[in-house]
Amino acid sequence: FFDGQNYIEYVSQVTPTTSPYSSNHTVRVWLTTSSTEGLILHAIGRDRSAITLQLWKGFLQCGFTTPDGRTKWLSNSAKVTDNKLHSLTIRKLGHIGYLSVGTTSTADANFTMGHNGSPLDNIIYTGGVPSALTSPQRPHLIGCINKIEIDQYTLPTGNAAMKFWSRRTIGNTTISCARSTRYIPYAFPNTTSSITFNAPSTAFSISFSFRTVHYNFGIELLSLPQLPAQLNSFIVMIDFGKLSVKFIGTQQVHYFQNTVTDGVWHHLTISVDNNDRFTTVLDGISKSLDYLSGSDNIPRPTIVIGHASGTGFNGCLRDVKMNQFPVNLDANNVSKTLISKNECLTSNPCYPVSPCFNGGVCHMRTNTFECICNRSKPYQGGYCHLYQYAKSCHDKFQSDPRNISNNYEIDPDGPYGANVPFTVYCNGISPSQTVATHNHTLQQTLTPIAKNVGPGKVIMRLAYRATTNNINQRGNAISISQLSALTSVSDRCNQDLSFSCRRALLLNSPGQPYIWWTSQDGRRMTNWAGAPSNTSKCACGVSKSCYNTTKSCNCDAFADVLLVDQGALSDKRYLPIKELHLGFSQITNSTFAGYNIGNLVCSGPAQPKNIITLASNLYGLHIKDWGEYFKTTISLYFKTKMSGGTLLSYKGLSFDYFTVTVSADQVELQYNYGLTVTDSKLTIRRPSQGQLFNDNQWHLLKIQFFPGIAILQVDRLPDQRHIYSHGIQTHRYTIINGPLILGSNLIGRTGFIGCVGDLVIDYKMFDLPKLAAMPGQKGLRTSCADACYNQPCKHNTPCTGDFTSFTCNCSRSSYTGTTCNFVKGGSFVGDGYIQYTASSINFIRHQQSNNIMFSFVTSSSDITLMTVNASNLFLSITLRNGQIVYTINGAAVQLRSIVNEGIKHNITIAPSNGSLTVDGVVLYTSEGNTFSSLQNAIIRLGNINNKPTDSFCMDNVSFASIRILDAAFNVDKLSNVIVYSNSKNPSSRVYENVCYDKLTRPPSSYGPSFASPRPTGSTSAFPPAAQMIHPGIIAAIVVVTAIIVGLIVTYLILRYKWRYTGKHNIAEIDPSNINIYDTDDHYKNGDTNGYDLTVTNKNDSRSSLDTNGIPSKHEMHV
């Protein structure tokens, strides 16, 4: 037990090289005390680093001191001065220090102890320190330390042998925790509690220690109530925190200046001698007064501590002495009324962390506090947390509907902005509007004189002022910068502008304008009121209703009649008007020009800006430096179409956290201030007929943490709050040591997917797009955009999606796949076919798009690919023994090359000459079978006579730009298209597909053409692979891929050279000089590398070359 005079010193007996202690430490102390000040433990390391644990104003403080003398303090708000046993723990883990009391923990990560040495390898003091180290802020402890553990090693409090430490006791230390009677606290729980006893004689001295937070007037602390009426006595009272001594029956009142309602122990001594001298000593400050005569006739005056006749003392009492001897308050001659022994729950809500912000001073009141705000700072409210200037008149009336029409100061860019507040008149009739006037609001004219001739010769600069409630009173000046801030926070702004003219040009579009206005940033604006920005038009030019319909403005007609161009400028990005530039093109006898510029009128709150999209529920935006701005309030806008997720979260180092989760029907705040007790929860549910919270509309969220109060608010719905009647210090966030995370959390819950904007932490607006662009952030996009924002759907196909995935609708296009990136093809199995009928199909000569074209791939040997049966033409493409047979009006030609090897081939038939082109090479021309149209045509892809085992895939089918597969497979299927599948043969079918061959890798993802109820694609701020793979791995993959591609290209080049060595391209020969004969007689078996044709050159008797470059009769290989 420590009595405030003694302490114990422990000196390490371990050399530094063999010290069992490292830079990580755990110190545990078991403490019982009712003292509000006192040093519990002070450890000094060999490197001069230190750890200090002490009581200060009734709360714990732990200081971590670096070798160079810098100290970082942690405060824990748990109540430990109630004379009950508490377990105190200090942990130092690297650069993080923790201080906990039982289950209540505080942590901070902002200190550095140094890399070598330890604060626990030299000397440890408990209960106090030597006089050279003491100070008024660090007195000795009065209380009991039951046990101390250093890294699981117990420091003996007695004379037991010690392995690592030597022990020395300074002063009278009791090796026992049996409580001394004088230090047992007695609680006065209410204003009628009292203790009464008699003084031993007329002359007496009474002293005691008291502790209270009872702030009021006329609180009775000590009195002598039972004196005869003819005798005057005294009473010691507490008046608004000050101790006073009043002499009954007189006007004498003596005050002490020190505040005694601060929740810490104060010591009072009152002495009365036989010479009627009265002396009062409070905390060492003495007042000697004349005590009125007559009291010495009372042999044993009665002394009352607490309630006598009025409002009694409410607090704690201990160490009562009479004539310097302890008074046994449990004796039979002591009367106690409503007194609790060995208990003291009084605490000071102003400590250890003030609940008042922005320089406000905390003052104790009865069981609560009052913040006196600093008049030099623009804050008000119960915690000095409210910025006293609204952003606009709309904001002023919204914050308090009781406000009336009056002049108010507003500050659109808030306390962190560059502009100072300015005064405006807010009219309750139009509560949403903020109006600024200027020096050119009346109709004015431009004098038609020579010096005013020319574009913009006269400059009218606008000087803006506030409107007032007195039309004869001019308001204060308002700068362009201040009004620019107003337009930024307003939903809409407008400014009327008109120009009246006769024989005077205005914009003179498309020529040089003679009149224009400049924007807030000095930009030259060539649009006039009523027309969009930068259009060089007036309102009549937009509606095409100008006096001269070939002009963009009425005045540009230069007519000899009075005309006017007028309207409102509403693009708030450029407002207010800074200057108006005017000039004449020429002056005539009838020239006239007049102009009028209206007031700037801004209304409503702006839509959210500073917007980002959270595109993944795995990541989120981490904001590290938010704690330096956070005091009480966090607000942001959100919108989503998803089912829900964690919108906002914070997790500290001391079990303190909060999360905000959003679902369709409710918004929930769950939080813990760092107590390992049941988490607290606030929930706002959607009204039965109200909007859903995932309706893809903006919703405003606001959470507030005041001392002892938590509030959740969404939009203008009734807020939900949790109020703690006690625990102002424990129920709040005093130390922020973790990031604020938007859209995700560190507790394992699903993150939020959607848009967030305008994150404001106690008036500080955070630039979310800038934060999202910082290195290390994932799954984020600037602005509010769904997954279609980067146009993932190819070929101009429609895209629909939410914030994480998209769906491409290929159903009205010629493409298919997840992103409509593959050509839409058809697979034909067995006798399935597609039939297209048309009364007439016309072909335009010499236009490539008006040919007959298709591509196919197959492994079947004998199969019909396409037939055309028209009244003027019969045409077919079939395979016989894997070779193309081209038939046109009865003439058939069979190509020798094999085309059923599983490689894709491209076919083109030109109506102008009946030619057949295969893979870009013209192989046959039939001048006698030309056609320019198909009449009463039946076009069939596939054939009913194909065998059940036959199959092929066909795409890019086009007849004079008519895409038959689109007509068959698109959602708007035409009535003249038949898709036939034999119901008697399950294997017979025709279906949409992507045609690929053995040389082409099959598509990695393939989706149907029709819009799917499930998403078929996803996107984010980064490619999916880049989101999951380290950049170094991506680089390695790119390098390896490049090497592989290089090897493949090299192989193909060598293969090409090998295949075509000594061969000639048939395209070098004029096709008109070629006659085609029966190709079967000269077919080279086994050669499938090209097309073998038997030809005779009518103009050249030279022999052609065979496949090996050797001369042979009538044969050429391509």
Side-chain angles (χ1 to χ4, degrees):
F1 185 87
F2 296 90
D3 61 2
Q5 303 295 324
N6 58 335
Y7 64 92
I8 298 176
E9 176 188 80
Y10 296 91
V11 179
S12 174
Q13 301 300 302
V14 180
T15 61
T17 55
T18 59
S19 172
Y21 304 112
S22 67
S23 59
N24 296 335
H25 300 286
T26 300
V27 179
R28 289 187 173 89
V29 179
W30 282 261
L31 174 71
T32 304
T33 186
S34 61
S35 297
T36 53
E37 275 83 21
L39 189 137
I40 302 170
L41 181 143
H42 182 65
I44 304 174
R46 290 186 171 96
D47 64 349
R48 304 186 68 82
S49 61
I51 292 178
T52 304
L53 181 63
Q54 65 185 28
L55 290 166
W56 180 71
K57 295 187 180 296
F59 296 96
L60 279 176
Q61 276 192 330
C62 184
F64 296 86
T65 303
T66 60
D68 60 1
R70 293 176 291 111
T71 301
K72 177 68 178 181
W73 289 98
L74 299 180
S75 296
N76 190 291
S77 56
K79 297 178 180 179
V80 296
T81 60
D82 55 1
N83 221 41
K84 300 183 184 301
L85 182 63
H86 294 278
S87 171
L88 320 179
T89 302
I90 304 170
R91 284 188 295 158
K92 178 186 171 295
L93 302 176
H95 293 173
I96 303 176
Y98 294 87
L99 171 62
S100 59
V101 178
T103 59
T104 304
S105 178
T106 304
D108 199 352
N110 299 321
F111 69 89
T112 303
M113 294 295 294
H115 299 291
N116 299 317
S118 164
L120 296 169
D121 63 359
N122 189 16
I123 300 175
I124 299 175
Y125 299 102
T126 60
V129 292
S131 57
L133 300 176
T134 57
S135 67
Q137 289 76 33
R138 190 159 60 186
H140 288 201
L141 175 70
I142 298 176
C144 182
I145 296 179
N146 298 60
K147 185 171 69 168
I148 300 175
E149 283 185 357
I150 307 294
D151 296 329
Q152 299 183 345
Y153 176 77
T154 302
L155 294 181
T157 55
N159 295 318
M162 291 177 290
K163 181 177 181 181
F164 298 118
W165 299 90
S166 65
R167 177 179 176 275
R168 184 168 69 99
T169 301
I170 293 87
N172 184 21
T173 302
T174 303
I175 310 302
S176 171
C177 275
R179 298 184 180 92
S180 173
T181 304
R182 60 179 288 196
Y183 295 116
I184 293 177
Y186 289 80
F188 291 64
N190 58 55
T191 57
T192 59
S193 302
S194 64
I195 294 178
T196 305
F197 55 90
N198 292 327
S201 62
T202 302
F204 63 90
S205 172
I206 182 172
S207 65
F208 55 87
S209 296
F210 68 95
R211 178 184 177 191
T212 184
V213 294
H214 191 183
Y215 184 92
N216 211 325
F217 179 80
I219 299 172
E220 298 174 344
L221 178 60
L222 184 143
S223 58
L224 276 67
Q226 298 181 10
L227 294 182
Q230 71 275 15
L231 299 179
N232 293 318
S233 182
F234 67 90
I235 182 170
V236 179
M237 306 187 74
I238 300 175
D239 293 330
F240 297 123
K242 308 293 184 180
L243 192 73
S244 66
V245 180
K246 300 180 180 180
F247 290 99
I248 306 301
T250 73
Q251 299 298 319
Q252 295 187 62
V253 181
H254 299 274
Y255 287 98
F256 287 83
Q257 295 303 311
N258 292 348
T259 300
V260 296
T261 55
D262 53 4
V264 302
W265 288 105
H266 296 276
H267 193 73
L268 177 66
T269 300
I270 298 175
S271 300
V272 180
D273 62 20
N274 291 323
N275 296 321
D276 297 331
R277 295 294 297 171
F278 182 89
T279 304
T280 305
V281 181
L282 175 65
D283 295 334
I285 300 174
S286 175
K287 287 185 179 294
S288 296
L289 309 169
D290 290 328
Y291 187 49
L292 299 184
S293 61
S295 62
D296 53 359
N297 296 324
I298 305 300
R300 297 188 63 191
T302 300
I303 297 174
V304 177
I305 301 176
H307 166 71
S309 59
T311 302
F313 167 75
N314 175 213
C316 304
L317 186 77
R318 75 177 188 187
D319 194 15
V320 180
K321 293 181 181 179
M322 180 63 71
N323 297 334
Q324 298 184 354
F325 291 98
V327 177
N328 182 3
L329 298 181
D330 295 327
N332 293 332
N333 60 346
V334 177
S335 173
K336 298 193 293 293
T337 303
L338 299 175
I339 299 296
S340 300
K341 182 180 178 181
N342 196 29
E343 184 177 285
C344 185
L345 300 178
T346 299
S347 64
N348 187 343
C350 291
Y351 296 99
V353 181
S354 174
C356 307
F357 302 104
N358 301 301
V361 179
C362 181
H363 290 271
M364 283 298 309
R365 300 295 181 259
T366 303
N367 295 322
T368 185
F369 64 93
E370 179 184 6
C371 291
I372 307 299
C373 299
N374 190 333
R375 293 184 178 180
S376 66
K377 296 186 177 182
Y379 291 91
Q380 59 190 13
Y383 307 95
C384 304
H385 64 291
L386 294 175
Y387 190 54
Q388 68 186 45
Y389 304 117
K391 292 183 177 180
S392 63
C393 291
H394 176 274
D395 193 21
K396 189 69 179 178
F397 286 115
Q398 286 289 320
S399 62
D400 189 350
R402 296 171 297 179
N403 287 327
I404 61 174
S405 299
N406 208 339
N407 295 326
Y408 294 102
E409 281 192 284
I410 64 172
D411 187 7
D413 59 359
Y416 293 98
N419 297 300
V420 298
F422 57 93
T423 302
V424 295
Y425 177 68
C426 296
N427 192 335
I429 299 176
S430 302
S432 182
Q433 292 186 351
T434 305
V435 181
T437 187
H438 54 82
N439 57 337
H440 290 291
T441 55
L442 300 177
Q443 176 76 33
Q444 301 189 39
T445 59
L446 181 65
T447 306
I449 56 178
K451 70 175 185 178
N452 293 341
V453 175
K457 278 290 187 177
V458 180
I459 301 176
M460 297 296 178
R461 293 182 174 87
L462 276 64
Y464 286 89
R465 290 186 173 274
T467 57
T468 68
N469 55 359
N470 186 344
I471 60 174
N472 297 318
Q473 179 184 355
R474 298 181 67 190
N476 62 289
I478 306 175
S479 70
I480 293 292
S481 177
Q482 289 171 320
L483 292 178
S484 174
L486 175 64
T487 62
S488 178
V489 300
S490 300
D491 179 48
R492 55 198 177 276
C493 295
N494 61 76
Q495 195 164 8
D496 291 339
L497 182 61
S498 68
F499 182 69
S500 303
C501 63
R502 185 172 55 243
R503 294 283 188 179
L505 295 178
L506 181 55
L507 299 182
N508 193 33
S509 178
Q512 166 70 45
Y514 283 87
I515 299 175
W516 64 88
W517 59 280
T518 60
S519 65
Q520 56 172 261
D521 57 356
R523 187 179 309 182
R524 178 171 165 173
M525 306 298 294
T526 57
N527 66 298
W528 200 247
S533 300
N534 301 315
T535 57
S536 297
K537 292 182 179 181
C538 297
C540 69
V542 176
S543 61
K544 299 181 180 180
S545 60
C546 294
Y547 181 81
N548 182 337
T549 56
T550 65
K551 302 296 182 179
S552 297
C553 297
N554 288 317
C555 291
D556 288 343
F558 202 69
D560 196 15
V561 295
L562 188 62
L563 301 172
V564 64
D565 286 294
Q566 62 184 354
L569 298 168
S570 58
D571 193 337
K572 68 173 189 164
R573 296 175 299 168
Y574 304 110
L575 296 178
I577 298 173
K578 186 176 182 178
E579 296 173 346
L580 183 63
H581 294 243
L582 304 105
F584 292 107
S585 61
Q586 58 180 290
I587 297 175
T588 69
N589 291 334
S590 60
T591 294
F592 169 80
Y595 61 93
N596 183 262
I597 308 172
N599 293 331
L600 176 69
V601 181
C602 292
S603 305
Q607 291 296 306
K609 47 186 180 297
N610 285 313
I611 299 171
I612 61 171
T613 300
L614 301 161
S616 170
N617 59 10
L618 300 177
Y619 308 106
L621 178 63
H622 292 234
I623 304 174
K624 296 180 180 179
D625 58 349
W626 71 286
E628 64 183 274
Y629 302 100
F630 175 69
K631 299 179 180 68
T632 62
T633 306
I634 302 173
S635 67
L636 60 83
Y637 286 88
F638 71 90
K639 76 173 181 177
T640 184
K641 307 188 264 192
M642 310 302 286
S643 58
T646 301
L647 174 62
L648 192 68
S649 66
Y650 158 73
K651 184 177 185 297
L653 299 174
S654 306
F655 311 106
D656 54 321
Y657 81 95
F658 63 78
T659 62
V660 177
T661 56
V662 176
S663 65
D665 295 309
Q666 69 178 35
V667 176
E668 181 180 276
L669 168 65
Q670 187 168 322
Y671 63 98
N672 193 315
Y673 292 106
L675 308 175
T676 53
V677 295
T678 304
D679 296 337
S680 299
K681 185 183 296 184
L682 295 172
T683 303
I684 290 182
R685 291 180 172 82
R686 175 182 69 97
S688 58
Q689 300 300 320
Q691 288 181 303
L692 294 170
F693 294 124
N694 65 343
D695 58 357
N696 204 30
Q697 301 296 317
W698 285 112
H699 297 276
L700 176 61
L701 166 75
K702 180 184 289 186
I703 57 174
Q704 296 177 290
F705 297 103
F706 300 106
I709 304 173
I711 303 174
L712 171 65
Q713 186 174 357
V714 179
D715 297 331
R716 301 192 65 80
L717 298 173
D719 64 46
Q720 296 293 313
R721 58 184 62 200
H722 193 175
I723 301 176
Y724 300 86
S725 57
H726 300 287
I728 288 175
Q729 288 298 326
T730 55
H731 295 100
R732 59 182 299 197
Y733 294 101
T734 56
I735 297 177
I736 301 298
N737 44 35
L740 181 69
I741 306 176
L742 291 181
S744 185
N745 61 83
L746 300 175
I747 313 174
R749 296 186 177 94
T750 301
F752 174 85
I753 296 175
C755 299
V756 294
D758 283 5
L759 171 66
V760 178
I761 299 179
D762 285 296
Y763 303 101
K764 172 64 176 178
M765 175 83 76
F766 282 75
D767 190 338
L768 296 181
K770 181 179 179 180
L771 293 172
M774 296 180 66
Q777 303 287 8
K778 297 180 179 180
L780 306 174
R781 296 196 293 267
T782 57
S783 75
C784 186
D786 59 24
C788 296
Y789 83 105
N790 62 348
Q791 299 178 336
C793 300
K794 308 303 181 184
H795 304 104
N796 297 318
T797 50
C799 179
T800 57
D802 52 32
F803 297 107
T804 60
S805 59
F806 63 86
T807 299
C808 296
N809 188 345
C810 314
S811 61
R812 289 182 171 87
S813 73
S814 300
Y815 300 90
T816 189
T818 301
T819 59
C820 304
N821 54 329
F822 299 110
V823 175
K824 186 178 296 182
S827 286
F828 298 77
V829 182
D831 56 359
Y833 63 84
I834 293 175
Q835 180 173 296
Y836 180 87
T837 60
S839 59
S840 177
I841 299 177
N842 297 311
F843 298 90
I844 301 175
R845 188 175 180 85
H846 303 307
Q847 287 194 11
Q848 179 70 17
S849 61
N850 279 273
N851 295 331
I852 298 174
M853 297 181 292
F854 66 90
S855 301
F856 74 94
V857 59
T858 186
S859 58
S860 298
S861 299
D862 298 284
I863 192 169
T864 298
L865 300 178
M866 181 198 70
T867 58
V868 178
N869 196 344
S871 60
N872 61 326
L873 179 76
F874 177 81
L875 184 150
S876 70
I877 299 290
T878 60
L879 298 188
R880 184 186 307 165
N881 297 323
Q883 301 167 336
I884 293 178
V885 177
Y886 174 43
T887 303
I888 182 169
N889 285 336
V893 58
Q894 181 170 350
L895 308 183
R896 294 195 175 194
S897 293
I898 300 298
V899 294
N900 69 334
E901 76 281 52
I903 297 176
K904 194 172 186 179
H905 298 282
N906 303 312
I907 303 295
T908 300
I909 300 172
S912 60
N913 56 14
S915 64
L916 173 67
T917 301
V918 180
D919 295 334
V921 179
V922 178
L923 300 182
Y924 173 73
T925 300
S926 177
E927 295 290 350
N929 289 302
T930 63
F931 55 95
S932 62
S933 66
L934 298 176
Q935 302 298 321
N936 301 316
I938 300 176
I939 302 169
R940 184 173 291 181
L941 310 180
N943 195 274
I944 198 169
N945 296 318
N946 287 339
K947 293 179 292 185
T949 57
D950 290 337
S951 66
F952 66 95
C953 188
M954 179 181 288
D955 62 20
N956 278 320
V957 180
S958 175
F959 279 69
S961 301
I962 298 174
R963 301 184 66 86
I964 295 179
L965 292 181
D966 297 352
F969 293 135
N970 283 3
V971 64
D972 301 322
K973 182 180 177 181
L974 300 179
S975 59
N976 59 337
V977 178
I978 297 174
V979 179
Y980 172 80
S981 296
N982 189 346
S983 59
K984 296 181 180 180
N985 182 5
S987 63
S988 171
R989 59 194 180 111
V990 178
Y991 58 93
E992 180 186 322
N993 203 352
V994 177
C995 298
Y996 58 90
D997 57 23
K998 64 183 182 181
L999 299 181
T1000 306
R1001 181 183 176 186
S1004 58
S1005 59
Y1006 170 72
S1009 314
F1010 299 95
S1012 172
R1014 60 180 179 85
T1016 59
S1018 64
T1019 186
S1020 69
F1022 302 93
Q1027 296 183 46
M1028 302 300 296
I1029 304 176
H1030 189 277
I1033 298 177
I1034 296 174
I1037 293 173
V1038 170
V1039 171
V1040 172
T1041 303
I1043 294 173
I1044 294 173
V1045 170
L1047 293 174
I1048 293 173
V1049 170
T1050 302
Y1051 165 75
L1052 292 176
I1053 292 173
L1054 294 175
R1055 183 171 181 266
Y1056 178 88
K1057 289 183 177 181
W1058 171 77
R1059 287 180 57 185
Y1060 295 110
T1061 300
K1063 301 174 183 178
H1064 294 262
N1065 193 331
I1066 197 171
E1068 297 174 356
I1069 303 175
D1070 184 359
S1072 62
N1073 295 327
I1074 298 178
N1075 290 331
I1076 299 182
Y1077 299 93
D1078 186 355
T1079 60
D1080 291 340
D1081 296 339
H1082 303 281
Y1083 174 51
K1084 295 289 190 298
N1085 292 323
D1087 183 2
T1088 59
N1089 292 325
Y1091 300 103
D1092 296 278
L1093 304 178
T1094 302
V1095 301
T1096 299
N1097 191 330
K1098 293 184 288 186
N1099 298 327
D1100 192 349
S1101 60
R1102 292 177 298 173
S1103 298
S1104 57
L1105 304 176
D1106 66 9
T1107 57
N1108 298 313
I1110 302 173
S1112 62
K1113 183 178 180 180
H1114 304 312
E1115 188 170 297
M1116 180 168 286
H1117 181 94
V1118 180

